[in-house]
Amino acid sequence: MAVGTSSGIPSTPLLKDEVDIVIPTIRNLDFLEMWRPFFQPYHLIIVQDGDPRKTITVPDGFDYELYNRNDINRILGPKAACISFNDSTCRCFGFLVSKKKYVAKDPSGKEINAPEQHIKNLLSPSTPFFFNTLYDPYREGADFVRGYPFSLREGVSTVVSHGLWLNIPDYDAPTQLVKPHERNTRQEYVDAVITVPKGALFPMCGMNLAFNRELIGPAMYFGLMGDGQPIRRYDDMWAGWCVKVICDHLGLGVKTGLPYIWHSKASNPLVNLKKEYHGIHWQEEVIPFFQAVSLPKKCTTPQECYIELSKQVKEKLGKVDVYFNKLADAMVTWIEAWDELNPSEKLSNVSAE
Ligand SMILES: O=c1ccn([C@@H]2O[C@H](COP(=O)(O)OP(=O)(O)O[C@H]3O[C@@H](CO)[C@H](O)[C@H]3O)[C@@H](O)[C@H]2O)c(=O)[nH]1
Ligand SMILES: [Mn+2]
């Protein structure tokens, strides 16, 4: 699929017909001008949060579809209850309606061709079963180091590419409060992509993320946050924990590192503290839950894994707080909505059994 370049290093295919870029927004889309060179080839799915009467202008020259809350309610009917309102969690509606193989979540920052690096990450295997100390062995200029078992060098399909951030790091509110001026300049020099090992959870940030919709899309639900919910800013964390335990079960890979984006908007740490408050103490029970999760062999598709996970959430986290019962039900609604909007994929998943 890659074609040669003058330097002999294969260039990365655009995959413009296989990638959608999902952008949740409650503001304007002016940042698209800065990203035009990298985003213009792709189809954009814009999820307009907040008041649907507000008109959001999309700069000329972009191929896009735009959904506001009225559209979400019209398309999903009662199932729209699983899509959060007044929170960036609404982005997962874009994952539902996309028909592409890959989804990249919008970064908004300095000129870095993030889609190209995410595609590179997703097109090369991951190595979750044995840690390669020279990072990603499939990158130009790297390889498996001595002692790496040859039987494991084929790797597994990479289904999540988790990019990082320059400038404003994605810190939680307490850290933001004690380190208000800390800027992430150090990572400028960490030129690495690393597979998250099997059995290890990680804090997935939704700002700069790409994933294989066909292989793991049904697990990429960002949960119930925003209006009427007791918790926010744990949308991507919840999705990341569910995705990782399902990837470990299905033998799929998650990579983190490049591409970095310039994160320019620091949200208000005191507002964030209120949003994160329950998450900060609940996660001390939620993480051990995910670390102990075991999915039965009969679960061979992301949908089946996700439904099984929702049962365990209700059974084991329902006692932490009633919120997790609601979340477990919303997880089921999400899969019902996914299968309703993507019937062919459900069949293909069945045929993959
Ligand atoms: O109610 C809302 C708020 C925001 N959005 C859109 O979502 C993204 C991110 O918004 P923002 O940068 O303001 O928020 P952060 O605090 O930096 O969000 C980070 O925290 C994580 C947890 O939610 C999240 O993954 C990170 O992005 C922007 O595009 C807003 O326009 C929204 O749609 N609705
Ligand atoms: Mn931000």
Side-chain angles (χ1 to χ4, degrees):
M1 188 175 305
V3 290
T5 59
S6 53
S7 62
I9 297 175
S11 66
T12 307
L14 261 183
L15 301 187
K16 67 182 183 54
D17 299 327
E18 295 181 73
V19 174
D20 277 341
I21 295 181
V22 173
I23 303 172
T25 185
I26 199 155
R27 304 188 196 106
N28 59 55
L29 295 167
D30 299 352
F31 75 87
L32 280 177
E33 275 316 328
M34 186 168 42
W35 279 91
R36 186 181 290 275
F38 309 121
F39 278 17
Q40 191 138 30
Y42 298 103
H43 179 67
L44 308 181
I45 297 180
I46 300 160
V47 183
Q48 175 188 338
D49 193 18
D51 184 350
R53 291 165 303 179
K54 196 178 143 202
T55 308
I56 289 210
T57 317
V58 182
D60 290 342
F62 285 98
D63 170 52
Y64 70 93
E65 50 200 286
L66 186 145
Y67 297 94
N68 64 25
R69 193 67 206 187
N70 294 337
D71 299 316
I72 294 173
N73 293 337
R74 172 176 48 79
I75 293 166
L76 292 183
K79 295 192 182 75
C82 80
I83 303 295
S84 303
F85 185 61
N86 274 336
D87 192 278
S88 60
T89 313
C90 63
R91 77 188 80 193
C92 52
F93 179 76
F95 307 160
L96 267 184
V97 295
S98 168
K99 293 290 168 264
K100 299 288 175 54
K101 180 172 183 180
Y102 301 106
V103 168
K105 165 72 184 63
D106 110 83
S108 44
K110 208 163 69 170
E111 294 226 345
I112 293 173
N113 189 348
E116 181 184 63
Q117 181 61 48
H118 278 306
I119 289 171
K120 264 194 193 128
N121 292 350
L122 290 170
L123 289 185
S124 67
S126 290
T127 55
F129 305 124
F130 196 92
F131 188 77
N132 190 54
T133 47
L134 195 53
Y135 312 119
D136 186 340
Y138 304 100
R139 281 186 77 203
E140 288 302 317
D143 212 316
F144 291 99
V145 295
R146 182 167 49 86
Y148 200 100
F150 284 87
S151 58
L152 293 175
R153 294 195 183 196
E154 195 180 343
V156 300
S157 303
T158 301
V159 294
V160 175
S161 170
H162 178 258
L164 299 173
W165 338 268
L166 298 179
N167 193 34
I168 298 168
D170 187 25
Y171 286 161
D172 49 53
T175 309
Q176 275 181 292
L177 283 167
V178 295
K179 298 178 143 184
H181 305 300
E182 184 150 289
R183 290 296 174 263
N184 192 0
T185 48
R186 192 187 61 259
Q187 276 192 8
E188 197 119 33
Y189 304 103
V190 182
D191 172 19
V193 179
I194 302 173
T195 294
V196 182
K198 180 181 166 100
L201 295 169
F202 75 112
M204 185 178 83
C205 168
M207 279 192 266
N208 173 17
L209 182 70
F211 60 91
N212 182 316
R213 234 187 120 265
E214 285 173 4
L215 295 179
I216 201 66
M220 205 50 95
Y221 174 50
F222 274 45
L224 283 179
M225 311 270 155
D227 280 9
Q229 304 303 340
I231 180 174
R232 291 173 181 240
R233 285 173 57 82
Y234 272 81
D235 49 328
D236 37 10
M237 298 301 145
W238 180 262
W241 297 331
C242 293
V243 159
K244 187 59 173 61
V245 294
I246 291 173
C247 282
D248 286 352
H249 174 75
L250 295 178
L252 299 169
V254 175
K255 283 180 182 173
T256 183
L258 295 170
Y260 297 106
I261 55 151
W262 187 267
H263 183 211
S264 50
K265 186 194 170 300
S267 34
N268 179 310
L270 283 173
V271 170
N272 288 346
L273 189 57
K274 260 195 279 178
K275 292 182 177 179
E276 293 170 15
Y277 170 69
H278 285 302
I280 290 175
H281 62 92
W282 282 347
Q283 71 182 359
E284 298 307 332
E285 304 203 44
V286 168
I287 296 302
F289 160 76
F290 278 105
Q291 286 169 333
V293 161
S294 162
L295 297 170
K297 273 206 173 42
K298 65 178 171 42
C299 296
T300 57
T301 67
Q303 286 95 326
E304 289 166 345
C305 293
Y306 206 74
I307 292 293
E308 174 58 31
L309 193 53
S310 72
K311 289 177 191 154
Q312 296 188 30
V313 166
K314 180 164 273 192
E315 183 195 325
K316 296 178 182 160
L317 292 179
K319 50 179 99 88
V320 173
D321 189 278
V322 65
Y323 168 74
F324 291 101
N325 290 325
K326 276 176 33 181
L327 181 55
D329 292 341
M331 290 168 74
V332 175
T333 307
W334 161 262
I335 292 297
E336 288 168 351
W338 185 281
D339 287 343
E340 186 181 310
L341 268 63
N342 302 283
S344 57
E345 281 172 27
K346 181 168 168 39
L347 290 175
S348 65
N349 277 323
V350 167
S351 61
E353 271 171 7

